């Protein structure tokens, strides 16, 4: 098994689009989001978004979408892992852990104070997250602006 983590760019739109569509469909509790190459191209060219891709035996098997953010409490910066997805056929092979490690290493090089992420309650990935991270001392809340979107 050859696993390689790379930073994805606009040239990766065709291979990232199906993964983001799968991820969206897996989380949406209603109509799936309109994920197409135009949207993924905009995502990859967004000035604040970075996407790490996990290539497993040469195929894109997962991704982690993250941001570098100011962190007011520490007067430093922090990382926010906003989306992490591994194709079902690649799960259990260390892909998610490798993505998290890669992003954390990037954060260490940038002097982040921490890397944080939210996890849906009941997620099957929680045991992995408990092995590679510690629970945060805060709760998450949401103000639903567009109530047609549910996840």
């Amino acid at each position: 098994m050859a696993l390689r983590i790379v930073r994805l760019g606009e040239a990766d739109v065709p291979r990232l689009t199906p993964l983001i569509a799968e991820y969206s469909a897996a989380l949406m509790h209603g109509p799936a989001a309109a994920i197409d190459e135009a949207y993924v191209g905009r995502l990859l060219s967004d000035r604040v978004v970075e996407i790490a891709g996990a290539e497993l035996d040469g195929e894109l098997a997962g991704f982690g979408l993250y941001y570098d953010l100011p962190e007011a409490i520490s007067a430093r910066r922090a990382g926010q892992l906003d989306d992490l997805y591994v194709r079902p056929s690649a799960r259990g092979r260390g892909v998610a852990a490798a993505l998290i490690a890669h992003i954390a290493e990037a954060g260490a090089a940038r002097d982040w104070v921490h890397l944080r992420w939210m996890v849906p309650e009941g997620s099957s990935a929680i045991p992995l997250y408990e092995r590679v991270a510690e629970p945060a001392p805060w709760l998450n809340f949401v103000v639903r602006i567009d109530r047609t979107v549910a996840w």
Side-chain angles (χ1 to χ4, degrees):
M1 171 184 85
L3 176 60
R4 188 170 80 114
I5 308 298
V6 298
R7 181 170 178 178
L8 299 179
E10 291 184 51
D12 296 298
V13 167
R15 63 191 197 132
L16 180 58
T17 300
L19 243 59
I20 291 182
E22 285 177 27
Y23 172 66
S24 177
L27 291 182
M28 298 294 285
H29 299 292
I35 306 296
D36 59 17
E37 288 192 1
Y39 168 73
V40 174
R42 287 191 306 275
L43 189 61
L44 283 165
S45 65
D46 190 291
R47 65 181 179 81
V48 299
V49 172
E50 293 181 61
I51 303 179
E55 295 176 342
L56 186 60
D57 298 328
E59 297 291 325
L60 191 61
F63 69 89
L65 183 151
Y66 60 102
Y67 309 93
D68 181 308
L69 301 168
E71 209 274 334
I73 297 168
S74 67
R76 291 172 55 194
R77 298 193 68 83
Q80 172 73 39
L81 175 59
D82 206 46
D83 296 290
L84 179 69
Y85 180 72
V86 175
R87 185 167 265 155
S89 62
R91 293 179 185 163
R93 299 172 73 184
V95 175
L99 282 163
I100 293 168
H102 174 84
I103 296 166
E105 287 169 14
R110 297 175 190 186
D111 196 35
W112 287 351
V113 67
H114 59 248
L115 173 63
R116 61 185 177 221
W117 62 95
M118 298 177 286
V119 181
E121 291 181 4
S123 169
S124 62
I126 290 173
L128 165 68
Y129 300 153
E130 290 174 335
R131 284 193 307 275
V132 302
E134 60 188 67
W138 54 75
L139 298 173
N140 288 296
F141 296 89
V142 63
V143 174
R144 294 192 185 275
I145 296 170
D146 181 348
R147 293 195 173 272
T148 65
V149 178
W151 23 252

